[in-house]
Structures are given as structure tokens and as C-alpha cells.
Amino acid sequence: MADRATLEDLVRLQGERVRALKQQKASAEQIEEEVAKLLKLKAQLGPDEGKQKFVLKTPKGTRDYSPRQMAVREKVFDVIISCFKRHGAEVIDTPVFELKETLTGKYGEDSKLIYDLKDQGGELLSLRYDLTVPFARYLAMNKLTNIKRYHIAKVYRRDNPAMTRGRYREFYQCDFDIAGQFDPMIPDAECLKIMCEILSSLQIGDFLVKVNDRRILDGTFAVCGVPDSKFRTICSSVDKLDKVSWEEVKSEMVGEKGLAPEVADRIGDYVQQHGGVSLVEQLLQDPKLSQNKQALEGLGDLKLLFEYLTLFGIADKISFDLSLARGLDYYTGVIYEAVLLQPPAQAGEEPLGVGSVAAGGRYDGLVGMFDPKGRKVPCVGLSIGVERIFSIVEQRMEALKEKVRTTETQVLVASAQKKLLEERLKLISELWDAGIKAELLYKKNPKLLNQLQYCEEAGIPLVAIIGEQELKDGVIKLRSVASREEVDVRREDLVEEIKRRTSQPLCIC
Amino acid sequence: MADRATLEDLVRLQGERVRALKQQKASAEQIEEEVAKLLKLKAQLGPDEGKQKFVLKTPKGTRDYSPRQMAVREKVFDVIISCFKRHGAEVIDTPVFELKETLTGKYGEDSKLIYDLKDQGGELLSLRYDLTVPFARYLAMNKLTNIKRYHIAKVYRRDNPAMTRGRYREFYQCDFDIAGQFDPMIPDAECLKIMCEILSSLQIGDFLVKVNDRRILDGTFAVCGVPDSKFRTICSSVDKLDKVSWEEVKSEMVGEKGLAPEVADRIGDYVQQHGGVSLVEQLLQDPKLSQNKQALEGLGDLKLLFEYLTLFGIADKISFDLSLARGLDYYTGALKEKVRTTETQVLVASAQKKLLEERLKLISELWDAGIKAELLYKKNPKLLNQLQYCEEAGIPLVAIIGEQELKDGVIKLRSVASREEVDVRREDLVEEIKRRTSQPLCIC
């Protein structure tokens, strides 16, 4: 016993040593060595098969989904997927990790956010960072020239957030993309239509879709006199206009990024504008912009886009916003971002910030980067920010005190007296075989009250009660949990009666 | 240019050096050093933004799912999930990786098959190896005493297979578990009922469920004289009986695992038996087994189980098999059915040029009415191409807009399969499409 206590002490101390080394960011080699020692010590404690101590936490930035959260998630995905399907998209899936070289080509400065797998003697692997690079790899690998696909899966980023509002390291992305050479702006318009359909169906409040074009941005900077080398950095300043004032943005551009003040002013004249198709037409007449080839291309495409959006009935949800700049370097044409107009208000709750809930754009050069011959496949797509939507829907349900069910069980098979387990098993088997969703308590002689209580907690709407007298009479008592009304149903009619009751929309939760 | 060629050669040579080191299983440190040199050389080649050479492959042991494979997968999952739901299971999900310590306690000799994440200064992580350890962690973390849950997700094992029958390193597991203290064998019976329902619904052929009990196995080994220390290893020999003959198994137990031949023979008398509940009753009377407490417990529970399975109507699918010692195996099969990869119901087409606006307006109405519709992304597509597209994708209906029909206020609705066309009034189109696509006789 003393030996064991000593061993346990040694294990504890060695564990602390390991943690200290990690905090001090000692070399990986050193840490591994000490971890190996720790494991050896633990092994000496003996193979205690029954008692495994689990460190009771998920890794930093990740979380489990409880049945309740899964119910919310399923609702949201159902809306999104049925929209994608309605538009004729196919679905694909890819591995959770890619060859490291597949990911690192593209992500330059972001590569410190990529989760690498340990080199265990084989290929160097990393967890996927988004679904776009796997898509480009898939297209190039299969030599596809066109596809309309959606892909819903988790991606991984080693963010070191200030844990603002649940910034996760493992989170879902919901991507829809149309790849291929088509007549201009039709697929782009469909992407916007899809975004609007989804956001409307989710009923998370009013929203607005901001639209801009990479070529208009670049053209604007050019005519304002921004040096080429400063394009991207000025871009990221301009993008902050949705959160801070123009004065702050200007001061960052001039003060921190070395832009001439008069250039900044000229930029200000453009990027503070937003509107509908009339703004597009106005800018097409702008003396400076109309001299810039890129800007003209972008404006021309936006004009066409607005025509299609009007036919799709969504032009009123779209705002041409010259300050929309963010996004990844690989966008080559139209870019868009959907924002909620006002956070859903709940009594006493902090309102969620107005963040974007979906975004996307056209990226014609990415697949060419993967293809060995550099063959280009133009792409346009969108990504739905489902994690944010999950929280919004969860909060809404809580605010409305909506009862969320975590199972779809329609009827509990119960017994009113003892020694009726066999009857319950026989009956429930008939119900399952008829496709009815049914449960029973795993007790030989459960009390009726407990069975009824179980139904109330789980939201099960019906109880099929077997009783000795009813057995003799050849009936089952069918009880509505909500109304407490009971009726005797002939055994042979029970399946039909349950189906009838559970298909009526008025019927249940 | 000469400089570049030289550089490219150096890159190639250095790449070979790295590969050789890995093959020789050189130290990680050495490999990293040479990889760093390689990357430096590559960087010198210049940031050629347009042309990035990618190795176009998925990692070893993993694969993409094409739309066709996804359609198959969705069908299978639908059957499985609706069965789990029918039995009142909740669903959970967990992260793809766990703290390394959560996983390594359990897997003893299997831990070399675990994918570790690189130590990047934070927690040490590993990809989940199955769904059972995450489940146990979830239960403990949430202090749950009972739950009926299913979990469908991919798990990861660094197998070095002889690539037999598509052994993957990333593959799906579909788990259903009932946790909690309940009256004996009822949940166990439900698990078997679920297994049978799923396998029947999937229509992949006749099947058999073999049943045994760890206590009966251990009790049998005990009464036959197997030393305690050899239990697990004899177990794994016995388990091979479904693939090889008894002679081979016996020779492995005696020849390789040092079991006395007479003990092996005694084992053979038991483990080659299989049958229904009558075998259970027979063994309950067996002079040796009935003296063994463990075996009696196991046999008693199996007897009860068979009663419940009979009430569930599945006893004929169950075989009590004394050689069953281990768990599941994996295989991937091939299905040859023609499979649709989209659910599109109607293609909105135009018969003449300059009708894109009309197509866009019509398709928008259909989408708003919840109908699954597509159109070709061409301003002036040929009708033939549009019809061909429908045939390839399996789209059953075409709504054709034509100049004359526009004047008459109708749309031509055509069945792709029968080629029959009928003029439908614009205002009736949605209803007509819905009517046609809900009839089971109707399509694909």
C-alpha cells in the first residue's frame, strides 16, 4: 500500500513537471521524454481495468453537442439542405485531413492557425482549414469542369481567440459552390437567391446582403491613387467601415499605413456609398471610374446581376456597398456578405452583435492553382455561418420557451399492473414492425405513474396502456398525455389509430 | 534560367533525400531538418503564384465521397437513423479529437494505431479511435446515469493494412448504446432487435446474429483448465473458428500459445457448438459448467434474453455460438444500382432564344413554392441539350417555355421518361408538378 501511495505521488509530481514544461514552451523533444516517463509511472500503478480516470474535458475550443443542441442543429441543417437540394446541388464529402502541402500553398500567413498531425513516419498531414481548398483539390483530382455541389462538415483552426462569443476551433461550415464556365452572372445570382431563401426560412430576423466586386474595389483604389503595393492593406482598413467610423478608418490609413491624406479623402468619397442598382448606374457615369477598365467590368457585371436578382424577387434585400472588402485573397469578382439587421431581442439578454451570417463570392483562379496544367475552372459560391445561427436559434427557442424534443417517440408502451412485461414486449415489437416510434421502460414492473411522468418529461404524446382487464377484452387503452383523455382501442386497430393521431398537424409538439 | 534549373535539381534531390530518410525511419529530428532545407530551396524557386504543383491525392487510407457514393451513404444512413429514432434514441456529437490522455489509457497495444496531433505548444491531442471512449467521457463529464443515444461519425486508425478489402484509416462508425441500470436483458434484447431491423431494412441479404457471453467464455475456459493468464490469448484463437478449421485453431493454441493438448481438446468440445435456446438449457445441465458461477450467470441471462427475443419475433435470426469471442469486422461492399445524386423534380427550359428572363422568373416561382428545380446557366441553350441534361441527371420533368406558349399563357410540361407533353396553364403549373411528383408510380 505504501508503495502504491509513493507511486501515486511520483505520478502526480511527474504530471506537474510535464505541465510546467509545456507552459514554459520547452522543446517538444523534452516534453515527449517527460510524458513517456509519466506514462511509464502510470503503467506501474497497474492495469486498473475498472477505474479509468478521464480528464473530464473536451479540447480547448471544441465542444460536445448534447441531444438538445443536436435537435437545434438538425432543424437548421434541414432548412439549409432542403434549399441546396431544391436548387439541384449534389453533395460530396472529403477526409478530415489533407496532405499538408495541399493546404500550405495557399495559406501563407494563416498557416500558424492550421492543426498539423504529428509526423509519425508517413505523409505529413494537416486538418482541413476550410472546405474550399478540398473542393479545389477534388475538382482538379477528378478533372471536373463543372459541378454544383454542397458540403457540410467541420473545419479546424487553431485560433487563439479572446474567447469572444464562443469562437471555436472546431466548427461547422456549410458551403455551396457552382464550378464551371457559364454565361455571366446567372450562377452568381442563384447563389444570392439561395442565401436569401435560407436566411428567410430560418426566421432569425431581417437581414441584408451586401454586394461588391473585387474589380470595382481595385479600380477605385487605382483611380484614387493608392499605390499597388498598398492595395491589400488599404482594403482591410476599408473593410472596417461596418464597425467603426470613417474618421477612424481614415486615420488608420494615413497614420498607420502611410497613405497620403488626399488619396484617403478620395477613397472616402467612394467607399461610404451604398445603394441599389441606381448607384451602379451612377458610378458607370463617374468620370474617373468610367476610365478604369477593371471598375467598368465589375460595374457592368453588377448591373446584369441586379437585373437577375430583380427577376428572382430579391433585389430589395441586396445593397451594393462599396465598403465591402473583406474575404479571402482568392476572390476575383463579385463578393457578398449577409448581415442580420437587428439582433433578436430578448428580455434581459445582451444582444448579439451584428455579425455576418453568410458570405461568399466568385473565385476564378483557385482551381487553376491545383491543376497540374494550370487549367482554370471558374467558381462562385457561398458559406453559411451556421455556428452563429445555432446560437441564435437556441437563444430564440429559450426566449420563446419553446420546448425542444430530443427524440421523435410517438407512443410509450406501458403496463397498468405487474407481470405484464411480456405483453409490453410483444406489443412494442408489433408497433416497431409497423414503423411506429415507440419506447418502453426497462423495468419488469414499472409503476404507471412513473411511466406517465417519463412521457411528460420526454414529450411523448401518447401512451398505450396494457391492463389485465383490457387484455381479456382484447383492447388497449390509448391515452393522450396532454389531454389525459383515454379511449379503448381494439388491439387490431391500434397501429392505424396511432398513425392517424400522429399525422394530424394539430396533434402534438 | 540555368540558376533555376540547378535549383530545381537541388529541390528534386533534396526531396528524394527526405523520402529516403522517412523510409529508413530516421529520427524525427533529422527528417524535420532535411524537410526544412527542402522548403527553403523551394522558396528560393520563387513565389510562383499562378502555378502551384499539388500532389493530387487524398491521404493514404482516406477517400472522397463522390455524389454517387453520397447518395448510397444517405440511403443507408436514413434506414439506420430512422430505426434508432423509432426506438427512442437521442443523438449526440463529440469533437474529432480528444485529449491524448483520454484515449491512451485504454488502448494498450493499439495505441500505435492512434493518430496524434503535433505538439504545437498547447494540449496534446489525438484523433478519436472509436466512439465508445468519447461516449464514456461524455457520460462522466455530464454526470449522466442513463441515456439511450446513437452517434454516427468518422473515426481514425493508422492501420497498415495489406489494403485488403478496402481497409480505411478514416471510416464511419454507427453506434447505438443504452447506458444505465435497468432490469436485466431488456435493453440487451432491444439492441438485438435494432440490429435485426436495420439489417432487414437494408436488404443486403440474409443474415445471422451470433450471440455469446463473456462470462460463459471465461467459465468455459476455467472448467477446461486454461490458466487465468492465458484467457485473453486463448480467446483470440477461439475467435478464429469462423474463418479457419478447429485443427488449425487447436494447433495454434497448443503449438504457439503453450496450451496443454488435453485442455485444448476440452475447449474444442464446447466452442464448436452453436444452436438456439435449447443449447442454453443443455449447457445449464452440463456437469462441469453448472459448477462454475460465472458460466451459470451468463447462461441464465442468455436464457432470459432468448425469451425476450422470442417475444420480439427475432429468435429465428439468433444463434448462440460458443466460438464467438471478438467484435466487429469492417468491409466495404459495392452497390450497382443506378443512383440519382440530386432530387431535382423539374428542369426549366426554353425552346427558343432570348427567353432567359422568362426562365428566371418561372424558376423563382417554383423555388418559392418549394419545388426542386434547375435551369441551365446559358442564355440561349439548345432544347436538345436541356433534354439530354435531364436524362443524365435523372430529372423527371421539363417545364418548357416557348414564345407561342407565352402568348397563350401556358407552359409545356414534358415527362422525360415517356416524352409526353401537355400544355399547362401558368397558374396551374405548381400544382400539376406537385401532383405528378408525389405519385409513387411517377418517377426514377
Side-chain angles (χ1 to χ4, degrees):
Chain A
M1 255 358 249
D3 280 359
R4 189 178 180 81
T6 314
L7 250 179
E8 284 179 346
D9 274 340
L10 285 172
V11 167
R12 188 179 42 78
L13 287 168
Q14 185 64 9
E16 281 164 17
R17 180 166 172 66
V18 168
R19 269 183 291 277
L21 283 174
K22 286 182 182 178
Q23 264 191 326
Q24 299 155 27
K25 304 221 186 276
S27 77
E29 205 184 82
Q30 204 181 351
I31 292 176
E32 242 187 74
E33 203 181 299
E34 299 298 326
V35 166
K37 283 186 198 164
L38 175 61
L39 290 175
K40 255 185 164 170
L41 282 170
K42 282 185 171 178
Q44 282 182 55
L45 270 178
D48 222 345
E49 292 212 60
K51 264 168 81 76
Q52 180 138 21
K53 278 198 168 300
F54 283 106
V55 183
L56 293 182
K57 61 188 291 287
T58 51
K60 179 177 179 183
T62 71
R63 54 155 169 162
D64 294 320
Y65 285 81
S66 69
R68 210 188 137 77
Q69 291 165 319
M70 288 299 283
V72 169
R73 183 171 116 179
E74 198 174 325
K75 265 179 130 174
V76 173
F77 282 164
D78 276 350
V79 168
I80 294 174
I81 291 173
S82 76
C83 180
F84 291 156
K85 285 183 169 182
R86 191 160 58 248
H87 287 256
E90 300 179 301
V91 60
I92 68 167
D93 197 11
T94 64
V96 79
F97 43 65
E98 297 274 343
L99 297 177
K100 188 174 162 68
E101 51 189 292
T102 301
L103 298 181
T104 46
K106 188 186 163 301
Y107 288 114
E109 71 273 23
D110 274 330
S111 53
K112 58 183 174 328
L113 296 185
I114 293 180
Y115 274 100
D116 291 327
L117 267 69
K118 185 173 169 184
D119 184 348
Q120 290 170 286
E123 301 162 320
L124 287 184
L125 308 169
S126 301
L127 296 183
R128 67 187 167 211
Y129 183 89
D130 66 11
L131 300 179
T132 308
V133 166
F135 179 47
R137 196 253 318 131
Y138 178 87
L139 289 177
M141 202 166 132
N142 294 282
K143 297 185 174 37
L144 296 174
T145 52
N146 69 80
I147 187 175
K148 181 159 57 178
R149 80 96 185 75
Y150 71 91
H151 186 186
I152 299 180
K154 289 179 187 167
V155 300
Y156 301 85
R157 300 185 189 179
R158 287 184 66 243
D159 264 330
N160 267 315
M163 271 328 251
T164 28
R165 281 180 286 116
R167 190 82 156 284
Y168 290 108
R169 290 180 159 190
E170 174 191 63
F171 58 95
Y172 264 102
Q173 278 203 331
C174 231
D175 281 17
F176 171 94
D177 293 85
I178 300 169
Q181 183 69 46
F182 301 113
D183 287 350
M185 304 318 279
I186 311 177
D188 311 54
E190 187 169 13
C191 284
L192 286 161
K193 174 67 175 170
I194 284 168
M195 232 183 205
C196 290
E197 282 181 15
I198 288 173
L199 294 176
S200 297
S201 307
L202 287 172
Q203 296 181 302
I204 44 180
D206 281 336
F207 62 91
L208 179 72
V209 183
K210 301 182 199 173
V211 162
N212 197 359
D213 192 294
R214 176 49 67 80
R215 296 161 293 178
I216 295 174
L217 264 169
D218 287 351
T220 305
F221 291 159
V223 307
C224 292
V226 177
D228 276 6
S229 58
K230 289 201 199 292
F231 266 30
R232 294 283 72 88
T233 184
I234 292 303
C235 223
S236 71
S237 293
V238 163
D239 185 63
K240 295 177 183 176
L241 267 175
D242 63 342
K243 295 190 191 66
V244 305
S245 69
W246 167 246
E247 283 66 41
E248 283 186 63
V249 170
K250 176 176 171 180
S251 120
E252 178 183 279
M253 296 197 297
V254 174
E256 289 173 39
K257 302 190 175 180
L259 198 66
E262 56 276 14
V263 173
D265 284 331
R266 278 178 231 141
I267 290 176
D269 288 339
Y270 287 106
V271 303
Q272 291 183 88
Q273 300 193 62
H274 54 85
V277 66
S278 50
L279 176 58
V280 180
E281 282 158 354
Q282 184 190 311
L283 291 175
L284 276 164
Q285 305 302 321
D286 181 280
K288 282 189 283 184
L289 273 185
S290 56
Q291 301 302 311
N292 181 282
K293 182 162 176 252
Q294 271 194 307
L296 275 184
E297 263 183 42
L299 287 164
D301 274 353
L302 275 200
K303 184 162 189 246
L304 184 56
L305 179 68
F306 265 100
E307 284 175 32
Y308 295 156
L309 297 179
T310 305
L311 292 165
F312 279 161
I314 57 171
D316 59 329
K317 294 243 175 323
I318 315 290
S319 167
F320 170 33
D321 189 326
L322 280 123
S323 72
L324 178 64
R326 205 200 334 205
L328 301 144
D329 281 345
Y330 53 54
Y331 285 134
T332 54
V334 67
I335 51 179
Y336 34 83
E337 183 179 280
V339 294
L340 293 182
L341 284 178
Q342 68 188 32
Q346 302 90 26
E349 288 271 339
E350 268 270 307
L352 284 173
V354 178
S356 87
V357 282
R362 174 163 284 284
Y363 52 107
D364 288 345
L366 185 62
V367 180
M369 285 173 69
F370 285 84
D371 187 276
K373 298 214 166 94
R375 269 180 297 231
K376 282 193 167 188
V377 178
C379 296
V380 64
L382 62 103
S383 191
I384 307 283
V386 278
E387 296 288 342
R388 180 166 269 142
I389 291 173
F390 292 156
S391 337
I392 294 173
V393 172
E394 270 181 52
Q395 292 204 333
R396 180 188 79 200
M397 291 173 90
E398 245 163 273
L400 297 178
K401 305 231 181 289
E402 243 179 78
K403 167 125 176 119
V404 79
R405 285 196 64 185
T406 58
T407 66
E408 297 179 12
T409 308
Q410 298 161 314
V411 58
L412 185 85
V413 173
S415 42
Q417 293 94 20
K418 292 188 172 188
K419 305 209 184 201
L420 288 170
L421 174 62
E422 278 196 26
E423 299 301 325
R424 278 191 287 141
L425 293 176
K426 240 191 298 183
L427 179 58
I428 201 172
S429 191
E430 283 175 36
L431 298 183
W432 285 333
D433 290 347
I436 290 173
K437 301 173 206 179
E439 289 185 66
L440 88 170
L441 263 57
Y442 298 124
K443 279 197 89 56
K444 280 187 294 208
N445 300 307
K447 293 186 178 21
L448 186 58
L449 192 60
N450 291 343
Q451 294 170 92
L452 296 175
Q453 222 160 3
Y454 180 85
C455 290
E456 294 206 21
E457 282 159 13
I460 302 172
L462 297 172
V463 206
I465 310 173
I466 300 172
E468 280 158 13
Q469 187 53 45
E470 289 81 359
L471 275 175
K472 293 191 187 113
D473 300 338
V475 298
I476 307 284
K477 254 191 190 1
L478 190 59
R479 173 174 164 130
S480 157
V481 175
S483 72
R484 303 194 181 178
E485 279 172 29
E486 284 183 355
V487 69
D488 285 346
V489 179
R490 296 206 58 75
R491 175 79 173 234
E492 52 272 23
D493 300 332
L494 186 63
V495 166
E496 202 186 298
E497 180 62 16
I498 293 173
K499 286 188 170 177
R500 194 185 64 80
R501 291 204 195 196
T502 52
S503 64
Q504 286 163 6
L506 283 177
C507 219
I508 325 103
C509 32
Chain B
M1 254 353 248
D3 279 2
R4 188 177 178 83
T6 316
L7 253 178
E8 285 178 345
D9 275 339
L10 285 171
V11 166
R12 189 180 41 80
L13 288 167
Q14 185 64 11
E16 282 163 17
R17 181 166 172 66
V18 166
R19 271 184 289 278
L21 284 173
K22 286 182 182 177
Q23 265 190 325
Q24 300 154 24
K25 304 219 183 280
S27 78
E29 202 185 85
Q30 203 179 351
I31 293 176
E32 243 188 75
E33 199 182 304
E34 298 297 324
V35 167
K37 285 188 195 161
L38 176 62
L39 291 175
K40 255 188 163 168
L41 282 170
K42 282 186 171 178
Q44 283 183 54
L45 270 179
D48 224 344
E49 291 210 61
K51 263 169 79 74
Q52 186 137 21
K53 280 200 168 293
F54 284 101
V55 185
L56 288 182
K57 62 191 286 289
T58 51
K60 180 176 178 184
T62 71
R63 55 155 168 161
D64 295 321
Y65 283 80
S66 69
R68 209 187 135 78
Q69 292 164 322
M70 289 298 284
V72 171
R73 182 171 116 179
E74 198 175 323
K75 265 176 129 175
V76 173
F77 282 166
D78 276 352
V79 167
I80 294 173
I81 291 173
S82 76
C83 180
F84 290 157
K85 285 182 167 182
R86 192 161 58 248
H87 287 255
E90 300 180 301
V91 60
I92 67 166
D93 197 10
T94 64
V96 79
F97 43 65
E98 297 274 344
L99 297 176
K100 188 172 160 69
E101 46 191 301
T102 302
L103 298 180
T104 44
K106 184 179 171 306
Y107 293 116
E109 73 271 23
D110 279 344
S111 55
K112 60 182 175 323
L113 296 186
I114 294 178
Y115 275 100
D116 290 328
L117 267 68
K118 185 174 170 186
D119 185 348
Q120 290 169 291
E123 301 161 319
L124 286 186
L125 308 169
S126 301
L127 298 184
R128 67 188 168 212
Y129 184 86
D130 66 12
L131 300 179
T132 308
V133 166
F135 180 45
R137 197 254 319 129
Y138 179 88
L139 288 177
M141 203 164 131
N142 294 282
K143 298 184 172 37
L144 296 173
T145 52
N146 67 79
I147 186 175
K148 180 159 56 177
R149 81 98 185 74
Y150 70 92
H151 186 186
I152 299 178
K154 290 178 186 167
V155 299
Y156 301 85
R157 299 185 187 182
R158 285 184 69 245
D159 265 327
N160 267 317
M163 270 330 251
T164 27
R165 282 180 290 121
R167 193 84 156 286
Y168 289 108
R169 291 179 159 189
E170 173 191 64
F171 58 93
Y172 264 103
Q173 280 201 330
C174 229
D175 282 17
F176 171 94
D177 293 88
I178 300 169
Q181 182 69 45
F182 303 111
D183 286 349
M185 301 322 276
I186 311 178
D188 311 55
E190 186 168 14
C191 285
L192 287 162
K193 174 68 174 170
I194 284 169
M195 231 184 208
C196 290
E197 281 180 17
I198 289 174
L199 294 176
S200 297
S201 307
L202 287 174
Q203 297 182 304
I204 44 182
D206 281 336
F207 62 90
L208 180 73
V209 183
K210 300 184 197 172
V211 162
N212 196 0
D213 191 295
R214 175 50 69 80
R215 296 162 293 176
I216 294 174
L217 265 169
D218 286 352
T220 305
F221 292 159
V223 307
C224 292
V226 178
D228 276 8
S229 56
K230 289 200 197 299
F231 266 30
R232 296 283 70 90
T233 184
I234 293 303
C235 223
S236 72
S237 294
V238 162
D239 187 62
K240 293 175 183 176
L241 266 176
D242 63 341
K243 295 189 193 67
V244 305
S245 70
W246 167 245
E247 284 66 42
E248 283 186 62
V249 170
K250 175 178 172 179
S251 118
E252 179 183 276
M253 294 198 297
V254 173
E256 290 174 38
K257 302 191 176 179
L259 197 66
E262 57 274 12
V263 173
D265 284 333
R266 278 177 233 144
I267 291 177
D269 287 340
Y270 286 107
V271 303
Q272 291 182 91
Q273 300 191 65
H274 55 85
V277 68
S278 50
L279 176 58
V280 180
E281 283 159 353
Q282 183 190 313
L283 291 176
L284 277 163
Q285 307 300 320
D286 180 279
K288 282 190 281 183
L289 273 186
S290 54
Q291 301 301 309
N292 181 282
K293 183 165 178 249
Q294 270 194 308
L296 274 184
E297 264 182 43
L299 287 164
D301 275 352
L302 275 201
K303 183 161 189 246
L304 185 57
L305 179 68
F306 264 99
E307 283 174 33
Y308 296 157
L309 296 179
T310 306
L311 292 164
F312 278 163
I314 56 171
D316 59 331
K317 294 247 176 321
I318 314 289
S319 168
F320 169 33
D321 188 323
L322 279 122
S323 73
L324 176 65
R326 200 122 50 112
L328 297 161
D329 197 356
Y330 306 97
Y331 87 108
T332 58
L335 292 173
K336 299 215 191 283
E337 267 178 63
K338 162 109 181 136
V339 110
R340 281 195 65 181
T341 58
T342 66
E343 298 179 13
T344 308
Q345 298 162 314
V346 59
L347 184 84
V348 173
S350 43
Q352 295 95 19
K353 292 187 172 189
K354 304 205 186 209
L355 289 170
L356 173 63
E357 280 197 25
E358 300 301 324
R359 278 190 290 139
L360 293 176
K361 244 192 293 184
L362 180 58
I363 202 173
S364 192
E365 285 175 36
L366 298 183
W367 285 333
D368 289 348
I371 291 175
K372 300 173 204 173
E374 289 185 65
L375 88 170
L376 263 58
Y377 298 125
K378 279 197 91 55
K379 281 185 293 206
N380 301 307
K382 294 187 178 22
L383 186 57
L384 192 60
N385 291 344
Q386 294 170 91
L387 295 174
Q388 221 159 359
Y389 180 85
C390 288
E391 293 206 20
E392 282 159 13
I395 302 173
L397 298 172
V398 206
I400 310 173
I401 298 173
E403 281 161 6
Q404 185 55 45
E405 289 81 359
L406 276 176
K407 293 192 186 111
D408 300 338
V410 297
I411 307 283
K412 254 195 193 353
L413 190 59
R414 171 170 164 135
S415 156
V416 175
S418 71
R419 304 200 179 171
E420 280 172 27
E421 282 183 358
V422 70
D423 285 346
V424 179
R425 296 205 60 75
R426 175 79 173 233
E427 51 272 24
D428 299 332
L429 186 64
V430 167
E431 202 187 301
E432 181 60 17
I433 293 172
K434 287 189 169 177
R435 193 185 65 79
R436 292 204 194 195
T437 54
S438 63
Q439 286 163 7
L441 283 178
C442 220
I443 321 106
C444 34

